[in-house]
Amino acid sequence: MPNESKVTTRLADVAREAGVSPSTASRVLNGSARQVADEYRERVLAAAERVGYTTNLAAQATARGRYPAIALVVGDIRDQFFARIAFGAVREAARRGYVLNLLSTEGDTDRERGLVHDLRRQRPEALVLVRKRDTTPMAGSKLMQELMGFERESGRVVIVGEPSEPVLAIRPPDFDGAKDLATAMLGLGYRDFAVFLSDPKVPSARDRLDGFRAGLSAGGVALPDSRVYPTEQSFLGGASSAAEYLADGRDTELIFCTEDEVALGAIHHLRSEGYDVPGELAFAGYGRRRQNPFGEDDWLTTVRSPLEEMGAAAVDAALGPAYGSVPASVAEVHIGGSTPGRAADDGPEKPSGNASRKSRSARRARA
Amino acid sequence: MPNESKVTTRLADVAREAGVSPSTASRVLNGSARQVADEYRERVLAAAERVGYTTNLAAQATARGRYPAIALVVGDIRDQFFARIAFGAVREAARRGYVLNLLSTEGDTDRERGLVHDLRRQRPEALVLVRKRDTTPMAGSKLMQELMGFERESGRVVIVGEPSEPVLAIRPPDFDGAKDLATAMLGLGYRDFAVFLSDPKVPSARDRLDGFRAGLSAGGVALPDSRVYPTEQSFLGGASSAAEYLADGRDTELIFCTEDEVALGAIHHLRSEGYDVPGELAFAGYGRRRQNPFGEDDWLTTVRSPLEEMGAAAVDAALGPAYGSVPASVAEVHIGGSTPGRAADDGPEKPSGNASRKSRSARRARA
DNA sequence: TTGAAAGCGGTACCAC
DNA sequence: GTGGTACCGCTTTCAA
């Protein structure tokens, strides 16, 4: 039993030490309305300092009827997606003086429900549930019922990463991010695009495609379906799509991959086939991997999802008074060496189908 | 105020519903010694189910004088090192029915102290502080004082990742892991080694070097200092050490890099210079990156630090009764394609200094 | 403004 | 075994 004889000073100790009543001590140490005489106030503060007092959160919670905690339920904290969101949430929770409880479903969708249920005993003020948009939807599921139960008896529920009707949701700005990227690429002089669409079934990937297309349309450039290559979401997937692309004899200027990993795989493949990237073919990704196998960080042009911001926004939304007042977090386009600017007056300069110039080291060019 | 009128059923409700006293209800619902008649027990259980009762943890905590929570303080949860440890800790805490509070120092060593101080109001039963072994030591620091204060008044403190005298610490088995790797490499027939030592100042890197050396010694193979290349801990660092290595005209059989990232950079460089890896030169790393730029997961021979296990062990140590009874977590050597087995009877076959065979696609060879 | 006293939701010691 | 009751540490009416 770890609880042998831990000594903690209580509010009563402070009160006695200061020569005031517990009520007064409570008021100056934790109360909201500052209605204590300055002299008493200082006496209490000094006493508290002297005896090393810290509020007992649990006791305060029983008395007040609410515990200043917020529960964060993620799939797998080792996953960058979850980790970045958690980072933002932790930071925001701390800023507000809230305790953050971390729970992990470890990918088990069933566990989600059990966790939400167990969670109730902590009576946190809010629950932030982070879901990857490729996990099974929660429609009218048991989980949803549990969530609504939680909302009724405990506090607010916010879902991050998935639209989910009855509950407040925070979603990554995939559409807008891709649209901004498209605009930026047009600005650099590109006019001829192809897209490697990593897993068309994933909603966020589709959003990125749609957004990219919308951005191009706005600039008067069309993206026919024949230029969209469905791809497996991985390095290898990118490589094989690149092979497919070459086999098609395509000659676009830039390939937008809806996932950085895919872009890196494709680039790797093209380079090993002797192509000059970005000289002959430029690349843009999505997701903002800071490092890449080519040894130059931030070299790949990409879009960074504001995951940390979303985590913070979720906490904000969960704790804030206004239900819909979530500050829109915006994606950030990063222009790297993989998309050098093109002289705008150049006609579409077709690379010869089987170029042979070898260039294995990453370009240092910056936009 | 999110706390409008949340309705929660209390223990008293259950008791009334079951027609027993609160004491009895408490005993069956939360008590340890099972000293309640079966009939009553079932009545209470049924009643609890009916009214949807869940224990109010905060109230229970004030009554019991202890809150079943454990605080986990990490630097940056987005970092794989912290994330994997956190994963293990979360899992173990959940298994024990403990709440896990996640705190982040965001790299600010000063904040560590403030956090530990603030933490006290939660009165968690234990505190697990995760530190990268390259952060500033905590000798007789203020932080350490705060920690000992915590240990006195709240609960046990466990440090992960750094040896720290007065407090219980859990460290990665860097030495043993590297030693096991050396043994395995000897077993594959390698006899001639070099080491890329990423940042000699980092203790874990040194441990890995020492362990590797120890493993070799045990097999009768020496590793002279001239074969140890101090390297910056990054992809680029690996690449430039490889260049340095080539300039030295070395002809070892295998290079052990104390960090996977370094190995990948070195391999990348050697291949782009036309060398055949692992044909001419084998590579082993440390850290177990699952993916690599060469597109084949788990291709690199490496050692996986049992970070998740360490996280769990930390919780175990913090909550368990015996102070020193931490189950030793052991590193796991992973043999991949980067270290093909050598025929044991082969003499040291020297690769010509400037081999030219190009081979850019990853070898599929498996040990 | 200040302090006395009655809770908050549970627990646990104590007689019956 | 079971229920009465004091109490955990803090908050908050309410009267002075």
Side-chain angles (χ1 to χ4, degrees), chain A residues 5-33:
Chain A
S5 59
K6 304 296 181 186
V7 272
T8 325
T9 47
R10 296 152 305 167
L11 187 58
D13 299 328
V14 177
R16 187 172 346 98
E17 176 81 9
V20 300
S21 73
S23 323
T24 302
S26 171
R27 283 191 269 258
V28 17
L29 258 16
N30 309 304
S32 47

PDB file of all heavy atoms in Angstrom, chain A residues 5-33:
ATOM      1  N   SER A   5       1.687   7.096   4.978  1.00  0.00           N
ATOM      2  CA  SER A   5       1.403   8.191   5.914  1.00  0.00           C
ATOM      3  C   SER A   5       1.808   9.514   5.282  1.00  0.00           C
ATOM      4  O   SER A   5       2.593  10.269   5.820  1.00  0.00           O
ATOM      5  CB  SER A   5       2.184   7.977   7.208  1.00  0.00           C
ATOM      6  OG  SER A   5       3.568   7.927   6.908  1.00  0.00           O
ATOM      7  N   LYS A   6       1.292   9.731   4.090  1.00  0.00           N
ATOM      8  CA  LYS A   6       1.611  10.962   3.389  1.00  0.00           C
ATOM      9  C   LYS A   6       1.010  12.137   4.127  1.00  0.00           C
ATOM     10  O   LYS A   6      -0.158  12.121   4.500  1.00  0.00           O
ATOM     11  CB  LYS A   6       1.037  10.912   1.973  1.00  0.00           C
ATOM     12  CG  LYS A   6       1.496   9.711   1.177  1.00  0.00           C
ATOM     13  CD  LYS A   6       2.989   9.741   0.956  1.00  0.00           C
ATOM     14  CE  LYS A   6       3.431   8.537   0.137  1.00  0.00           C
ATOM     15  NZ  LYS A   6       4.894   8.464   0.013  1.00  0.00           N
ATOM     16  N   VAL A   7       1.814  13.116   4.340  1.00  0.00           N
ATOM     17  CA  VAL A   7       1.335  14.289   5.048  1.00  0.00           C
ATOM     18  C   VAL A   7       1.007  15.428   4.094  1.00  0.00           C
ATOM     19  O   VAL A   7       1.822  15.822   3.288  1.00  0.00           O
ATOM     20  CB  VAL A   7       2.398  14.779   6.054  1.00  0.00           C
ATOM     21  CG1 VAL A   7       2.230  14.067   7.373  1.00  0.00           C
ATOM     22  CG2 VAL A   7       3.778  14.582   5.493  1.00  0.00           C
ATOM     23  N   THR A   8      -0.190  15.883   4.177  1.00  0.00           N
ATOM     24  CA  THR A   8      -0.595  17.000   3.337  1.00  0.00           C
ATOM     25  C   THR A   8      -1.215  18.040   4.240  1.00  0.00           C
ATOM     26  O   THR A   8      -1.951  17.714   5.162  1.00  0.00           O
ATOM     27  CB  THR A   8      -1.655  16.560   2.321  1.00  0.00           C
ATOM     28  OG1 THR A   8      -1.371  15.234   1.916  1.00  0.00           O
ATOM     29  CG2 THR A   8      -1.659  17.477   1.136  1.00  0.00           C
ATOM     30  N   THR A   9      -0.937  19.270   3.927  1.00  0.00           N
ATOM     31  CA  THR A   9      -1.567  20.322   4.709  1.00  0.00           C
ATOM     32  C   THR A   9      -2.946  20.602   4.133  1.00  0.00           C
ATOM     33  O   THR A   9      -3.132  20.635   2.934  1.00  0.00           O
ATOM     34  CB  THR A   9      -0.730  21.609   4.659  1.00  0.00           C
ATOM     35  OG1 THR A   9      -0.362  21.864   3.308  1.00  0.00           O
ATOM     36  CG2 THR A   9       0.500  21.481   5.509  1.00  0.00           C
ATOM     37  N   ARG A  10      -3.883  20.803   5.041  1.00  0.00           N
ATOM     38  CA  ARG A  10      -5.254  21.059   4.596  1.00  0.00           C
ATOM     39  C   ARG A  10      -5.588  22.537   4.737  1.00  0.00           C
ATOM     40  O   ARG A  10      -4.861  23.296   5.372  1.00  0.00           O
ATOM     41  CB  ARG A  10      -6.225  20.236   5.438  1.00  0.00           C
ATOM     42  CG  ARG A  10      -6.059  18.769   5.269  1.00  0.00           C
ATOM     43  CD  ARG A  10      -6.496  18.062   6.505  1.00  0.00           C
ATOM     44  NE  ARG A  10      -5.768  18.580   7.686  1.00  0.00           N
ATOM     45  CZ  ARG A  10      -6.101  18.335   8.924  1.00  0.00           C
ATOM     46  NH1 ARG A  10      -7.163  17.607   9.189  1.00  0.00           N
ATOM     47  NH2 ARG A  10      -5.391  18.824   9.911  1.00  0.00           N
ATOM     48  N   LEU A  11      -6.711  22.848   4.182  1.00  0.00           N
ATOM     49  CA  LEU A  11      -7.147  24.234   4.242  1.00  0.00           C
ATOM     50  C   LEU A  11      -7.277  24.680   5.700  1.00  0.00           C
ATOM     51  O   LEU A  11      -6.942  25.815   6.063  1.00  0.00           O
ATOM     52  CB  LEU A  11      -8.501  24.370   3.534  1.00  0.00           C
ATOM     53  CG  LEU A  11      -9.016  25.788   3.360  1.00  0.00           C
ATOM     54  CD1 LEU A  11      -8.012  26.614   2.576  1.00  0.00           C
ATOM     55  CD2 LEU A  11     -10.346  25.775   2.651  1.00  0.00           C
ATOM     56  N   ALA A  12      -7.757  23.768   6.525  1.00  0.00           N
ATOM     57  CA  ALA A  12      -7.938  24.072   7.939  1.00  0.00           C
ATOM     58  C   ALA A  12      -6.607  24.491   8.584  1.00  0.00           C
ATOM     59  O   ALA A  12      -6.562  25.389   9.428  1.00  0.00           O
ATOM     60  CB  ALA A  12      -8.515  22.864   8.664  1.00  0.00           C
ATOM     61  N   ASP A  13      -5.544  23.828   8.155  1.00  0.00           N
ATOM     62  CA  ASP A  13      -4.233  24.172   8.692  1.00  0.00           C
ATOM     63  C   ASP A  13      -3.876  25.611   8.363  1.00  0.00           C
ATOM     64  O   ASP A  13      -3.388  26.359   9.203  1.00  0.00           O
ATOM     65  CB  ASP A  13      -3.171  23.232   8.100  1.00  0.00           C
ATOM     66  CG  ASP A  13      -3.445  21.779   8.461  1.00  0.00           C
ATOM     67  OD1 ASP A  13      -3.995  21.544   9.562  1.00  0.00           O
ATOM     68  OD2 ASP A  13      -3.127  20.902   7.637  1.00  0.00           O
ATOM     69  N   VAL A  14      -4.127  25.950   7.127  1.00  0.00           N
ATOM     70  CA  VAL A  14      -3.835  27.313   6.697  1.00  0.00           C
ATOM     71  C   VAL A  14      -4.659  28.297   7.519  1.00  0.00           C
ATOM     72  O   VAL A  14      -4.151  29.316   8.008  1.00  0.00           O
ATOM     73  CB  VAL A  14      -4.157  27.499   5.203  1.00  0.00           C
ATOM     74  CG1 VAL A  14      -3.915  28.935   4.778  1.00  0.00           C
ATOM     75  CG2 VAL A  14      -3.337  26.543   4.362  1.00  0.00           C
ATOM     76  N   ALA A  15      -5.940  27.979   7.679  1.00  0.00           N
ATOM     77  CA  ALA A  15      -6.848  28.864   8.408  1.00  0.00           C
ATOM     78  C   ALA A  15      -6.328  29.090   9.832  1.00  0.00           C
ATOM     79  O   ALA A  15      -6.213  30.220  10.297  1.00  0.00           O
ATOM     80  CB  ALA A  15      -8.246  28.264   8.438  1.00  0.00           C
ATOM     81  N   ARG A  16      -5.985  28.013  10.492  1.00  0.00           N
ATOM     82  CA  ARG A  16      -5.504  28.123  11.858  1.00  0.00           C
ATOM     83  C   ARG A  16      -4.238  28.960  11.897  1.00  0.00           C
ATOM     84  O   ARG A  16      -4.113  29.912  12.655  1.00  0.00           O
ATOM     85  CB  ARG A  16      -5.242  26.725  12.443  1.00  0.00           C
ATOM     86  CG  ARG A  16      -4.893  26.772  13.909  1.00  0.00           C
ATOM     87  CD  ARG A  16      -4.825  25.382  14.558  1.00  0.00           C
ATOM     88  NE  ARG A  16      -5.417  24.332  13.762  1.00  0.00           N
ATOM     89  CZ  ARG A  16      -4.727  23.509  12.968  1.00  0.00           C
ATOM     90  NH1 ARG A  16      -3.414  23.649  12.869  1.00  0.00           N
ATOM     91  NH2 ARG A  16      -5.341  22.570  12.293  1.00  0.00           N
ATOM     92  N   GLU A  17      -3.318  28.625  11.020  1.00  0.00           N
ATOM     93  CA  GLU A  17      -2.045  29.344  10.923  1.00  0.00           C
ATOM     94  C   GLU A  17      -2.255  30.838  10.689  1.00  0.00           C
ATOM     95  O   GLU A  17      -1.528  31.680  11.221  1.00  0.00           O
ATOM     96  CB  GLU A  17      -1.217  28.754   9.777  1.00  0.00           C
ATOM     97  CG  GLU A  17       0.089  29.465   9.490  1.00  0.00           C
ATOM     98  CD  GLU A  17       1.200  29.051  10.443  1.00  0.00           C
ATOM     99  OE1 GLU A  17       0.991  28.089  11.213  1.00  0.00           O
ATOM    100  OE2 GLU A  17       2.261  29.701  10.433  1.00  0.00           O
ATOM    101  N   ALA A  18      -3.285  31.163   9.938  1.00  0.00           N
ATOM    102  CA  ALA A  18      -3.533  32.572   9.616  1.00  0.00           C
ATOM    103  C   ALA A  18      -4.454  33.225  10.644  1.00  0.00           C
ATOM    104  O   ALA A  18      -4.656  34.441  10.637  1.00  0.00           O
ATOM    105  CB  ALA A  18      -4.136  32.691   8.225  1.00  0.00           C
ATOM    106  N   GLY A  19      -5.031  32.406  11.482  1.00  0.00           N
ATOM    107  CA  GLY A  19      -5.941  32.945  12.483  1.00  0.00           C
ATOM    108  C   GLY A  19      -7.270  33.406  11.906  1.00  0.00           C
ATOM    109  O   GLY A  19      -7.871  34.370  12.363  1.00  0.00           O
ATOM    110  N   VAL A  20      -7.717  32.707  10.885  1.00  0.00           N
ATOM    111  CA  VAL A  20      -9.019  33.035  10.291  1.00  0.00           C
ATOM    112  C   VAL A  20      -9.842  31.752  10.190  1.00  0.00           C
ATOM    113  O   VAL A  20      -9.363  30.677  10.511  1.00  0.00           O
ATOM    114  CB  VAL A  20      -8.862  33.647   8.886  1.00  0.00           C
ATOM    115  CG1 VAL A  20      -8.043  34.914   8.948  1.00  0.00           C
ATOM    116  CG2 VAL A  20      -8.233  32.626   7.939  1.00  0.00           C
ATOM    117  N   SER A  21     -11.044  31.901   9.714  1.00  0.00           N
ATOM    118  CA  SER A  21     -11.886  30.711   9.575  1.00  0.00           C
ATOM    119  C   SER A  21     -11.592  30.019   8.247  1.00  0.00           C
ATOM    120  O   SER A  21     -11.090  30.645   7.316  1.00  0.00           O
ATOM    121  CB  SER A  21     -13.351  31.112   9.573  1.00  0.00           C
ATOM    122  OG  SER A  21     -13.660  31.736   8.354  1.00  0.00           O
ATOM    123  N   PRO A  22     -11.896  28.751   8.169  1.00  0.00           N
ATOM    124  CA  PRO A  22     -11.718  28.013   6.910  1.00  0.00           C
ATOM    125  C   PRO A  22     -12.449  28.701   5.765  1.00  0.00           C
ATOM    126  O   PRO A  22     -11.947  28.754   4.645  1.00  0.00           O
ATOM    127  CB  PRO A  22     -12.346  26.654   7.205  1.00  0.00           C
ATOM    128  CG  PRO A  22     -12.208  26.491   8.674  1.00  0.00           C
ATOM    129  CD  PRO A  22     -12.358  27.871   9.253  1.00  0.00           C
ATOM    130  N   SER A  23     -13.596  29.233   6.044  1.00  0.00           N
ATOM    131  CA  SER A  23     -14.368  29.905   5.002  1.00  0.00           C
ATOM    132  C   SER A  23     -13.532  31.002   4.347  1.00  0.00           C
ATOM    133  O   SER A  23     -13.424  31.096   3.133  1.00  0.00           O
ATOM    134  CB  SER A  23     -15.624  30.513   5.603  1.00  0.00           C
ATOM    135  OG  SER A  23     -16.141  29.673   6.599  1.00  0.00           O
ATOM    136  N   THR A  24     -12.964  31.826   5.209  1.00  0.00           N
ATOM    137  CA  THR A  24     -12.163  32.919   4.681  1.00  0.00           C
ATOM    138  C   THR A  24     -10.971  32.417   3.897  1.00  0.00           C
ATOM    139  O   THR A  24     -10.683  32.885   2.789  1.00  0.00           O
ATOM    140  CB  THR A  24     -11.660  33.800   5.848  1.00  0.00           C
ATOM    141  OG1 THR A  24     -12.793  34.277   6.563  1.00  0.00           O
ATOM    142  CG2 THR A  24     -10.860  34.971   5.320  1.00  0.00           C
ATOM    143  N   ALA A  25     -10.311  31.460   4.469  1.00  0.00           N
ATOM    144  CA  ALA A  25      -9.152  30.888   3.773  1.00  0.00           C
ATOM    145  C   ALA A  25      -9.573  30.379   2.404  1.00  0.00           C
ATOM    146  O   ALA A  25      -8.910  30.644   1.397  1.00  0.00           O
ATOM    147  CB  ALA A  25      -8.560  29.763   4.608  1.00  0.00           C
ATOM    148  N   SER A  26     -10.682  29.668   2.381  1.00  0.00           N
ATOM    149  CA  SER A  26     -11.192  29.139   1.118  1.00  0.00           C
ATOM    150  C   SER A  26     -11.411  30.264   0.123  1.00  0.00           C
ATOM    151  O   SER A  26     -11.020  30.175  -1.039  1.00  0.00           O
ATOM    152  CB  SER A  26     -12.499  28.393   1.354  1.00  0.00           C
ATOM    153  OG  SER A  26     -13.104  28.058   0.140  1.00  0.00           O
ATOM    154  N   ARG A  27     -12.030  31.311   0.603  1.00  0.00           N
ATOM    155  CA  ARG A  27     -12.355  32.422  -0.294  1.00  0.00           C
ATOM    156  C   ARG A  27     -11.114  33.019  -0.948  1.00  0.00           C
ATOM    157  O   ARG A  27     -11.066  33.203  -2.160  1.00  0.00           O
ATOM    158  CB  ARG A  27     -13.137  33.492   0.463  1.00  0.00           C
ATOM    159  CG  ARG A  27     -14.587  33.101   0.663  1.00  0.00           C
ATOM    160  CD  ARG A  27     -15.416  34.253   1.167  1.00  0.00           C
ATOM    161  NE  ARG A  27     -15.444  34.290   2.628  1.00  0.00           N
ATOM    162  CZ  ARG A  27     -16.469  33.872   3.375  1.00  0.00           C
ATOM    163  NH1 ARG A  27     -17.543  33.376   2.789  1.00  0.00           N
ATOM    164  NH2 ARG A  27     -16.426  33.909   4.680  1.00  0.00           N
ATOM    165  N   VAL A  28     -10.094  33.266  -0.159  1.00  0.00           N
ATOM    166  CA  VAL A  28      -8.919  33.883  -0.778  1.00  0.00           C
ATOM    167  C   VAL A  28      -8.139  32.888  -1.624  1.00  0.00           C
ATOM    168  O   VAL A  28      -7.611  33.246  -2.682  1.00  0.00           O
ATOM    169  CB  VAL A  28      -7.996  34.573   0.262  1.00  0.00           C
ATOM    170  CG1 VAL A  28      -8.300  34.095   1.641  1.00  0.00           C
ATOM    171  CG2 VAL A  28      -6.542  34.394  -0.078  1.00  0.00           C
ATOM    172  N   LEU A  29      -8.108  31.636  -1.202  1.00  0.00           N
ATOM    173  CA  LEU A  29      -7.305  30.666  -1.947  1.00  0.00           C
ATOM    174  C   LEU A  29      -7.976  30.161  -3.219  1.00  0.00           C
ATOM    175  O   LEU A  29      -7.306  29.886  -4.214  1.00  0.00           O
ATOM    176  CB  LEU A  29      -6.960  29.488  -1.031  1.00  0.00           C
ATOM    177  CG  LEU A  29      -5.541  29.469  -0.437  1.00  0.00           C
ATOM    178  CD1 LEU A  29      -4.851  30.816  -0.548  1.00  0.00           C
ATOM    179  CD2 LEU A  29      -5.579  28.991   0.996  1.00  0.00           C
ATOM    180  N   ASN A  30      -9.288  30.004  -3.186  1.00  0.00           N
ATOM    181  CA  ASN A  30      -9.935  29.430  -4.355  1.00  0.00           C
ATOM    182  C   ASN A  30     -11.164  30.177  -4.847  1.00  0.00           C
ATOM    183  O   ASN A  30     -11.587  29.997  -5.972  1.00  0.00           O
ATOM    184  CB  ASN A  30     -10.343  27.980  -4.055  1.00  0.00           C
ATOM    185  CG  ASN A  30      -9.183  27.184  -3.495  1.00  0.00           C
ATOM    186  OD1 ASN A  30      -8.136  27.109  -4.107  1.00  0.00           O
ATOM    187  ND2 ASN A  30      -9.380  26.600  -2.322  1.00  0.00           N
ATOM    188  N   GLY A  31     -11.748  30.997  -3.988  1.00  0.00           N
ATOM    189  CA  GLY A  31     -12.989  31.670  -4.346  1.00  0.00           C
ATOM    190  C   GLY A  31     -12.897  32.564  -5.556  1.00  0.00           C
ATOM    191  O   GLY A  31     -11.810  32.968  -5.977  1.00  0.00           O
ATOM    192  N   SER A  32     -14.027  32.883  -6.105  1.00  0.00           N
ATOM    193  CA  SER A  32     -14.046  33.694  -7.318  1.00  0.00           C
ATOM    194  C   SER A  32     -14.176  35.182  -6.970  1.00  0.00           C
ATOM    195  O   SER A  32     -13.299  35.983  -7.280  1.00  0.00           O
ATOM    196  CB  SER A  32     -15.192  33.256  -8.222  1.00  0.00           C
ATOM    197  OG  SER A  32     -16.383  33.131  -7.453  1.00  0.00           O
ATOM    198  N   ALA A  33     -15.258  35.561  -6.300  1.00  0.00           N
ATOM    199  CA  ALA A  33     -15.465  36.963  -5.957  1.00  0.00           C
ATOM    200  C   ALA A  33     -14.492  37.364  -4.846  1.00  0.00           C
ATOM    201  O   ALA A  33     -14.476  36.772  -3.777  1.00  0.00           O
ATOM    202  CB  ALA A  33     -16.904  37.187  -5.520  1.00  0.00           C
TER     203      ALA A  33
END
